[in-house]
Amino acid sequence: MRTLIFRTIAPYLAALMVLFSIFVLLRGHNEPGGGFIGGLIAASAFAIYGIACGVAAVRRAIAFHPMSISAAGVFLAGLSGMPSFFTGQAWMTSQWWYLHLANVEVPLSTPLFFNIGVYLVVVGSISSIALALEERESD
């Protein structure tokens, strides 16, 4: 399935899918969406790119081993519970901070960091599985 049309379109489609996955991730702590579905969209983008251009191209594009990405996600998700621990509240209680950048208020929260951790776990683990299956298929 490595046709010329697919090889030409796949990098642009993958980039668009990763951009959309980040939108779904950032939207998710206030509305439907979040880290899990955003991670699935991004992992699907890497799988499509891998089918079109090969596993080596995906590994070069990711720059980190997928399981390292998953480990960083688990660490970040666990770390998102620490601010509530230091304020004397129950573990994983939401904490909010507001940054003022160029007259714009940017809300940051522990649910956002937890969602980013989930996103990284899903991207890393599903990409690792997809790349292993694609490598096996090419043998």
Side-chain angles (χ1 to χ4, degrees):
M1 184 154 177
R2 291 188 182 185
T3 65
L4 178 63
I5 295 171
F6 188 53
R7 281 187 310 209
T8 304
I9 296 297
Y12 300 108
L13 180 63
L16 187 63
M17 288 175 70
V18 169
L19 185 64
F20 181 68
S21 76
I22 293 170
F23 167 76
V24 170
L25 164 70
L26 294 176
R27 180 177 175 254
H29 69 285
N30 289 328
E31 296 177 20
F36 186 78
I37 190 65
L40 287 177
I41 294 168
S44 299
F46 293 136
I48 287 172
Y49 188 66
I51 291 169
C53 301
V55 174
V58 176
R59 292 200 187 275
R60 282 192 306 271
I62 293 177
F64 294 104
H65 192 278
M67 292 312 289
S68 298
I69 296 171
S70 289
V74 169
F75 180 73
L76 184 60
L79 196 64
S80 69
M82 293 301 290
S84 62
F85 179 74
F86 290 122
T87 60
Q89 297 175 328
W91 184 258
M92 298 295 281
T93 301
S94 297
Q95 303 294 317
W96 291 84
W97 305 279
Y98 297 95
L99 295 177
H100 297 282
L101 302 172
N103 295 330
V104 176
E105 186 176 70
V106 179
L108 294 177
S109 64
T110 54
L112 174 64
F113 292 114
F114 181 80
N115 271 335
I116 292 171
V118 170
Y119 178 88
L120 293 174
V121 168
V122 172
V123 167
S125 59
I126 300 299
S127 294
S128 179
I129 292 168
L131 293 176
L133 290 173
E134 289 175 14
E135 280 178 342
R136 185 175 175 119
E137 183 180 303
S138 66
D139 288 343

